Structure formats: C-alpha cells, structure tokens
Amino acid sequence: MRSPSVRLPCNGACIILKIGGSLLTDRDHARRMNHERAAAYVRAIAGSWSALSGRLILVLGGGSFGHNVVQCHGLQHGVIGSDLLDRQMLTLSLLEMKVEVSRQLRAAQVPCFPFHTSSLLTTRGGVIASRHLDSVLAALHEGILPVFTGDVVFDHEIGFVLFSSDRVPEMFLGRLDIARVVVLTDVPGVMDESGRLIECVKSDNWRDAWSATSVSAKADVTGGMRSKFEAVLEAARLGIECLITDGTDPEEGIRAVLQARPRGTLVQFAQPVESAAALGSPPGSGTARVGEPVA
Ligand SMILES: Nc1ncnc2c1ncn2[C@@H]1O[C@H](COP(=O)(O)OP(=O)(O)OP(=O)(O)O)[C@@H](O)[C@H]1O
Ligand SMILES: [Mg+2]
C-alpha cells in the first residue's frame, strides 16, 4: 500500500461496524426494512455517540435491498458492456436504505453522511485498483459518521463487480488506523461443524474455522458466512482485531463495538498470516486480496 495510514487526530483509532442486512431488513420480502430493528440501532448508536463520534464508520448490509435486486437484474457477474441499463439498480436500491437510516440518524442528532462505495473505488478483476478516501477521512475529522453499503463497483477488466458490504472494511486497510472491525449478523458468530460457537480464531485454527463456513441459508448473492469470514481475515491478517457476533439485540450489538471482550467470534492474529485467497474460494465471493498495489 502506497499511502501511509492516517491516525485520526482527536479520537484515536477507528472502528468499522457492519450491521448485517439479515438484521436490518426482512430477507423474505424484496426491499423491505425491519423498521423496528433499524430504529433500535439508531437509538443505540445515538446513545453511545459521545464515545463514537469521529471514530466510527457504519456499513449497512443490503439484505433484501441487495440480494433480491441483484438476482432480479442479473448483476451477479460483470461482463463488459452488459447490463448498462440495469447497472444502477443495486446502487439505487441501497441508496433507499441509506437515505432511510441517514434520516433516522439525523433525527436522533447523529451527524452522518452517506457515501457510495462505487464513487470511491474501482477494481481490476475484483481486486481494488484505486480508492479515493479523502472525503471519508474529512468526514471523520469533523465528527461525522460515514455510512456505507456494498455496491456495484466499476471494474477495469470485467465491467463491474459486486462489492459486498462485508468487503467495505477492506477499502480502509492501510489508510486508516483501525482498532476493530465488528460484524453483526443473525447468528452468534462462526459456528463449527457441530454447531458450537468458535470463540477465538488464531493462526493455529483459522483454516478449520474457514472450512466450517458456507453460504447463507437465505436468498443470498454474496456468500454468507464464507465470504464474511474471508473479508474479516483480510483485516485480521494485518493485525486488526475483528469480531463476528450476534446483532439481534441492537443494544448488545453496539456494546460489542466498545466492550473489551464482547461475545462472539474474535479473530485475532499475533503475526501476519497468508491470504485466505490462497484457500481458493471462487472470485467475486468476497475474498479480498490486500497488499496488491492500490492508489
Ligand atoms: N459456520 C457458520 N457459522 C455461522 N453461520 C454460518 C456458517 N456457515 C454459513 N452460515 C450462514 O451465514 C449466515 C450469515 O450470513 P448472511 O449473509 O445470511 O447474513 P448477513 O451478512 O448478516 O446479511 P447481509 O448479507 O444481507 O448483509 C447465517 O445466518 C448462516 O445461515
Ligand atoms: Mg451476507
């Protein structure tokens, strides 16, 4: 990575929080919010805002504003020149979600700003090729909460790729001083083959944990726990503490952001490990390849 990491001047290292679309939406119905849960998350963020201002980046999982729309418009895979009329559809749908959550945050006195991932990134064969993060850093500097979703991102080789919300933290690796990545979803964390929670993932057991992960039981185009875990590994392998945990209760979910040892699966490596890409998930499944040259 060419650009040096930025340590935010006032409030120290950042926390990136992804709230799963499995929590914020009704995955059984296209483009339907779970209004009650979204409102409870807004209240919980507002309640802890004095501790989070200037150091939190919020990522909204697309849920039924994402997976269903991608399926409906055939946006799973990029082909140069294809889908030109439909390419905007995921971005528009996720914008609806960002607008709704951003309005609620404003009403709760939390200053936030919605960003389009596709406006800040390009990829080449699914790997980040350029990123323009100055506006996000400026927002954090002013104490504004940047709000992201996944997106359809322009790709130099294949027209576009589906860049899942699980991959959004990857945008900031090497550019921000990140204390923790917290990923909230509808299960207690990464479960092993017998359905038991794997509490700690370290350099000696991460391959076993990876083997236990698979796709989502619901309508899904971004790879469920498998790609979530792979995305988290990319941050963890740089030494960042990462947590995958249950966000069904929003108060608990926001506590997980600030607590010293929250419940769930903690992924933390004492020294760098190789990329999960080496394990061979199909391209576009969410596997990140950090460390390749990016602007
Ligand atoms: N080993 C595993 N441990 C836990 N969950 C797993 C595992 N393997 C697969 N899963 C599935 O992954 C799902 C979580 O990922 P999913 O993509 O459905 O939710 P999300 O990422 O929170 O939502 P969204 O993709 O809309 O943001 C679980 O509900 C479960 O069905
Ligand atoms: Mg998912």
Side-chain angles (χ1 to χ4, degrees):
M1 302 250 171
R2 269 179 264 151
S3 311
S5 159
V6 175
R7 176 173 277 276
L8 295 166
C10 318
N11 298 312
C14 257
I15 298 164
I16 304 181
L17 169 67
K18 185 219 161 175
I19 307 176
S22 55
L23 302 166
L24 294 173
T25 73
D26 177 349
R27 291 267 292 260
D28 293 329
H29 296 95
R31 295 167 65 230
R32 189 177 292 179
M33 285 292 285
N34 181 332
H35 293 284
E36 206 178 313
R37 175 125 356 78
Y41 262 107
V42 166
R43 282 196 300 277
I45 291 169
S48 295
W49 185 239
S50 56
L52 295 171
S53 168
R55 54 185 305 227
L56 184 68
I57 293 175
L58 179 62
V59 185
L60 309 174
S64 65
F65 287 78
H67 304 283
N68 308 52
V69 175
V70 168
Q71 276 168 344
C72 177
H73 294 281
L75 292 170
Q76 287 94 327
H77 309 289
V79 180
I80 285 209
S82 72
D83 309 309
L84 297 185
L85 287 176
D86 277 353
R87 201 167 302 172
Q88 61 174 288
M89 298 311 286
L90 177 67
T91 309
L92 284 181
S93 175
L94 293 171
L95 180 61
E96 275 180 51
M97 202 183 175
K98 265 186 294 202
V99 167
E100 160 131 12
V101 173
S102 299
R103 287 207 169 118
Q104 285 191 31
L105 284 164
R106 181 173 187 272
Q109 305 292 309
V110 175
C112 70
F113 196 90
F115 285 94
H116 282 320
T117 303
S118 52
S119 303
L120 306 183
L121 277 193
T122 62
T123 56
R124 180 170 284 107
V127 177
I128 294 177
S130 68
R131 49 186 179 167
H132 304 280
L133 303 179
D134 289 358
S135 49
V136 184
L137 301 180
L140 286 168
H141 196 76
E142 283 200 69
I144 291 172
L145 173 66
V147 181
F148 280 88
T149 60
D151 209 342
V152 155
V153 165
F154 287 86
D155 187 282
H156 298 293
E157 281 174 7
I158 50 175
F160 70 92
V161 291
L162 196 54
F163 194 90
S164 84
S165 55
D166 290 322
R167 283 187 71 182
V168 169
E170 181 194 338
M171 288 169 66
F172 301 102
L173 299 181
R175 287 293 307 277
L176 259 186
D177 185 18
I178 302 169
R180 183 181 272 183
V181 172
V182 177
V183 180
L184 302 177
T185 186
D186 62 350
V187 285
V190 180
M191 319 299 273
D192 68 15
E193 316 280 3
S194 351
R196 276 188 304 261
L197 176 69
I198 305 172
E199 290 190 19
C200 280
V201 174
K202 298 184 176 163
S203 36
D204 58 350
N205 69 339
W206 72 269
R207 287 177 198 78
D208 296 337
W210 179 85
S211 299
T213 60
S214 62
V215 296
S216 175
K218 303 166 287 287
D220 183 78
V221 292
T222 49
M225 187 57 81
R226 169 60 61 88
S227 26
K228 189 185 302 304
F229 186 62
E230 289 179 350
V232 153
L233 283 175
E234 291 305 321
R237 58 189 276 269
L238 301 182
I240 297 167
E241 179 184 277
C242 296
L243 180 79
I244 300 175
T245 192
D246 186 359
T248 314
D249 176 344
E251 288 287 341
E252 281 283 315
I254 297 305
R255 262 198 291 280
V257 170
L258 294 164
Q259 253 171 12
R261 179 53 183 106
R263 286 179 305 170
T265 300
L266 186 68
V267 188
Q268 197 167 27
F269 298 129
Q271 67 249 344
V273 299
E274 76 262 38
S275 169
L279 294 175
S281 269
S285 64
T287 304
R289 277 169 280 169
V290 179
E292 303 199 9
V294 291

